[in-house]
Amino acid sequence: MSAESIATIDSLCGALGIGAAELAQARGLAPSERYIQKELPKKDGSTRIVHNPHYLVRRIQRRINRRIFSNPSVISWPDHIFGSIPNDDTYESLVYEKDYVNCARQHCGAKSILSIDIKDFFDNIHRDQVSRIFKNFLHYSDVVAEALTDICCKDASIVQGALTSSYLATLCLFREEGALVKRLGYKGLVYTRLVDDITISSKISNYDFSYALGQAVQMLSEADLPLNAKKTRIQYASMKPLMVHGLRVDFQQPRLPPEEAKRIRAAVKNLELLAASPGYRASRAYRKDFNRCMGRVNKLRRVEHNQHPVLIARLRKILPLPSHSDIVRAEQIIQRLKKDMSRPNYQGSFWFHKRCHVAAERLGILGRSFPKKAKELREQLKLIRPSTGYE
């Protein structure tokens, strides 16, 4: 559901806080200038194509996300949608995270699960569908919808790497999905979608999903989205645990598979062995290993695993340590920030905020071994860091 409307380019620029010349410049970029293509390795050995937007396109896309897609006064996201959307703070005044864990939580206690994957999701979301989102869902004028579609698409479709793509992918089924969720609900079925992963579950053992699958396929067909038959599967409660997004859902709360918890404990133990090597805790390689391990341990927190506080306590004993070269780097960062404060409109930009955040993070590490120097630089950073959010 959406509210508000934008009728003119001037109104759009006002809503996004950009100049008309800036928008025209971004739209005037040649296709080869708008995105730089990169290939990233996937877990299965294949490659993923990612497109890095031109800084001007990226800036406008970020404004679209902040002021339209993640603005609760513009869009109210439905309960069945998860991933890449703002968290919901309406549940008992607590933040209800719209991530894969809470998505899986909707299916806890299920006895039968149907998993559906949309094939080449982003590549199959054509610019015509994007235009319909802006015109028919957000009710913007044709000229505004065309401008936004132009900024959000590369050639004929959205692409991975564009900041707006996940939101648009989530919205692409706005006409069909709500009605399907209601029909399935009448039959006692639970429907969720995490970007391109659709899950439908039943608390009835060996449930016949023929109707549900047929309705889902029809919905995707109407949106010109192909089904990935190889990744479409049905699970029934038996000797094998029921899984949704890598989590077990045959309990009242989502749980990590036992082997995953074991791998996380082994990663902490391995990090402890690395930390014992002389001088290694002050290396950049150790910081990278530590941050990766911390991320894995925090997965335990999301599923309320009893080993989380134990492993966190162990990690706190082997925090990364700074070296003398970190003092030099921190001083250089502060000096560059001071210099860049004078650049027009830069102090309120995303990149200035990000650089301030990186500086604060470095000073936190520096304070573990050089507290006086860290305090001195922190006082300088306070005079630089903006008090308001970036735009």
Side-chain angles (χ1 to χ4, degrees):
M1 181 177 66
S2 68
E4 306 295 327
S5 182
I6 301 175
T8 67
I9 293 297
D10 286 342
S11 296
L12 173 64
C13 292
L16 298 180
I18 61 174
E22 187 177 6
L23 177 61
Q25 183 183 351
R27 297 186 66 186
L29 292 170
S32 59
E33 295 179 291
R34 288 199 184 192
Y35 294 90
I36 296 175
Q37 182 172 305
K38 292 183 179 180
E39 292 187 1
L40 300 178
K42 296 170 68 174
K43 290 182 179 180
D44 60 5
S46 61
T47 58
R48 175 183 286 111
I49 304 298
V50 176
H51 296 83
N52 187 26
H54 183 278
Y55 79 91
L56 193 54
V57 174
R58 176 182 290 271
R59 181 168 181 263
I60 297 173
Q61 288 178 349
R62 184 176 291 110
R63 293 290 181 90
I64 293 170
N65 284 352
R66 286 175 60 82
R67 299 198 178 190
I68 297 177
F69 292 141
S70 63
N71 185 344
S73 68
V74 177
I75 296 180
S76 177
W77 294 91
D79 295 340
H80 60 270
I81 293 295
F82 293 81
S84 304
I85 62 172
N87 291 325
D88 191 342
D89 61 358
T90 59
Y91 288 76
E92 300 177 355
S93 300
L94 297 174
V95 171
Y96 186 74
E97 296 187 55
K98 303 285 280 185
D99 63 358
Y100 76 102
V101 177
N102 273 328
C103 186
R105 181 172 282 114
Q106 311 311 305
H107 303 282
C108 281
K111 299 294 180 63
S112 305
I113 293 176
L114 168 65
S115 300
I116 300 171
D117 183 80
I118 304 171
K119 187 175 182 180
D120 299 327
F121 194 27
F122 283 18
D123 292 342
N124 280 294
I125 299 176
H126 193 270
R127 63 183 300 123
D128 287 349
Q129 293 166 285
V130 175
S131 181
R132 283 197 293 269
I133 290 170
F134 289 121
K135 286 194 291 188
N136 301 337
F137 178 72
L138 289 164
H139 305 295
Y140 295 166
S141 69
D142 289 354
V143 65
V144 169
E146 175 56 31
L148 289 169
T149 300
D150 193 30
I151 288 294
C152 295
C153 292
K154 179 184 182 297
D155 300 324
S157 66
I158 64 173
V159 291
Q160 290 198 18
L163 276 61
T164 48
S165 289
S166 292
Y167 283 107
L168 290 167
T170 302
L171 284 169
C172 73
L173 293 170
F174 76 92
R175 294 184 304 178
E176 304 89 1
E177 197 166 38
L180 173 62
V181 173
K182 185 177 291 188
R183 289 198 300 273
L184 295 180
Y186 291 152
K187 296 184 176 298
L189 301 177
V190 176
Y191 174 106
T192 63
R193 179 162 62 90
L194 182 74
V195 190
D196 59 349
D197 292 321
I198 295 172
T199 305
I200 302 172
S201 68
S202 170
K203 288 183 167 55
I204 298 174
S205 298
N206 299 315
Y207 185 84
D208 182 359
F209 283 111
S210 299
Y211 172 80
L213 179 58
Q215 291 292 302
V217 170
Q218 181 179 338
M219 174 189 71
L220 296 178
S221 178
E222 290 174 358
D224 296 322
L225 295 172
L227 181 73
N228 189 340
K230 292 182 179 179
K231 292 187 177 181
T232 298
R233 64 193 183 105
I234 295 176
Q235 304 174 70
Y236 293 124
S238 59
M239 298 296 291
K240 193 173 182 179
L242 296 180
M243 305 288 292
V244 174
H245 307 313
L247 299 173
R248 293 184 63 176
V249 294
D250 39 4
F251 299 94
Q252 291 305 308
Q253 297 293 329
R255 294 189 185 182
L256 283 172
E259 58 271 18
E260 176 64 12
K262 288 180 181 178
R263 284 194 288 267
I264 293 172
R265 287 194 295 269
V268 173
K269 179 63 178 177
N270 184 59
L271 193 67
E272 289 172 330
L273 295 175
L274 290 174
S277 302
Y280 191 63
R281 283 176 67 185
S283 70
R284 297 183 70 180
Y286 179 76
R287 290 180 198 177
K288 187 175 181 180
D289 292 336
F290 181 90
N291 290 337
R292 185 185 298 114
C293 188
M294 177 65 80
R296 296 183 67 184
V297 169
N298 281 333
K299 288 175 66 177
L300 299 175
R301 178 187 63 82
R302 287 295 294 114
V303 296
E304 301 178 8
H305 197 286
N306 59 11
Q307 282 293 299
H308 176 257
V310 176
L311 296 180
I312 284 291
R314 288 168 60 179
L315 288 179
R316 285 175 178 160
K317 294 178 181 178
I318 54 172
L319 290 168
L321 296 176
S323 64
H324 286 280
S325 62
D326 286 303
I327 297 178
V328 176
R329 282 196 291 269
E331 289 176 333
Q332 290 173 342
I333 291 174
I334 298 294
Q335 290 306 314
R336 283 196 293 267
L337 285 169
K338 287 181 178 178
K339 182 180 178 181
D340 289 340
M341 282 179 66
S342 60
R343 292 172 57 184
N345 302 321
Y346 189 66
Q347 195 175 9
S349 70
F350 167 81
W351 292 110
F352 192 85
H353 277 258
K354 183 175 181 179
R355 289 169 62 197
C356 286
H357 176 75
V358 170
E361 190 175 42
R362 282 185 176 274
L363 295 181
I365 297 175
L366 198 65
R368 293 169 192 161
S369 296
F370 308 101
K372 289 185 179 179
K373 189 63 179 179
K375 182 179 179 181
E376 174 192 327
L377 294 175
R378 196 173 285 114
E379 290 300 319
Q380 295 182 39
L381 183 61
K382 285 181 181 178
L383 300 175
I384 301 170
R385 198 169 193 173
S387 58
T388 58
Y390 66 84
E391 288 293 343

